[in-house]
Amino acid sequence: MSNDAYALAAEAAVALKELTGVDSFDVALVMGSGWVPAADAIGTTISEHRVTELPGFSAPSVAGHSGVIRAVDTESGRKALIFLGRTHLYEGRGVDPVVHGVRTAIAAGVETVVLTNAAGGLRPEVQNVGDPVLISDHINLTGANPITGATFVDLTEVYSRRLRELAREADPSLAEGVYVAFRGPTYETPAEIRMLRALGGDLVGMSTVLEAIAAREGGAEVLGVSLVTNPAAGLAGTPLDHQDVLAVGRATAARMGVLLGKVVGK
Ligand SMILES: Nc1nc2[nH]c(I)nc2c(=O)[nH]1
């Protein structure tokens, strides 16, 4: 296996084509916590595999769907690659594993990347738990970046306006928001949440931004969608409980599947 991250992604893309029998993919989707049930609405499954069958992917540190990839035929005949779960920076394996899936997808032909996640809501005055929110921009507080060297990628429009408009055609009620990423794994303190609100954040999470940067470096168009699964720390009376998070995701996933299916098919 190559020790160069980009060469490793190219190797994984070759293995992916052999494994799935698909010689080029059009769109990739990363399904965050609670989004997995939405994957079924994307199209007809061609094949499903454990990611450890591909170079550069590790077994998930958390049991469950993460660590599974699915090749899908969408209704409009496009080839979709769906990652049921992702690698997080807080797993401590560095930045390259976090973006390896996106880099592999782009090396396999993908030109559109859809990043979904579960996030804390910073605006309980307008957000409800269970709301999907289109990501309009991000604030990267992870302290990390997938790119090394003098590659000055423009991030003026990381999250495609065109794809956001397609999503809003499918569901005009969709709101937009700025997603703030922390490294995690701890949730924020109430003081940090007050800081994020002052910085203009609307959503807070521990994923997505590094994958989005890697996708833009690879020339792909990006759509990001968060599912508000909890009021961020200090904004509601109760402590955060990850089980509540997952329950909300499951309840909302069917609606999200219809939305993603419409956007992906275009
Ligand atoms: N950092 C951070 N990540 C999250 N993921 C989910 I779901 N909720 C949160 C949250 O409140 N903060």
Side-chain angles (χ1 to χ4, degrees), residues 33 118-121 179-180 182 184 186-188 193 204-206 227 229-233 240 242 245:
S33 306
Y179 177 90
V180 183
F182 272 85
T186 49
Y187 288 129
E188 296 65 40
I193 295 304
V204 57
M206 305 178 192
L227 192 59
T229 47
N230 62 278
L240 304 186
H242 197 57
V245 161

Side-chain angles (χ1 to χ4, degrees), residues 30 49 74 86-87 140 146 149 151 154 159 165 168 185 187 196 226 229 249 259-260:
V30 179
H49 310 273
T74 70
R86 59 159 48 95
T87 296
N140 177 7
T151 310
D154 170 62
Y159 303 91
E165 281 159 15
R168 248 199 303 280
Y187 288 129
L196 298 188
S226 287
T229 47
L259 165 68
L260 294 182

Side-chain angles (χ1 to χ4, degrees), residues 89 95 139-147 181-184 209-210 213:
L89 194 57
V95 179
I139 297 173
N140 177 7
L141 295 185
T142 64
N145 195 304
I147 304 173
F182 272 85
R183 181 190 181 284
V209 302
L210 301 180
I213 292 169

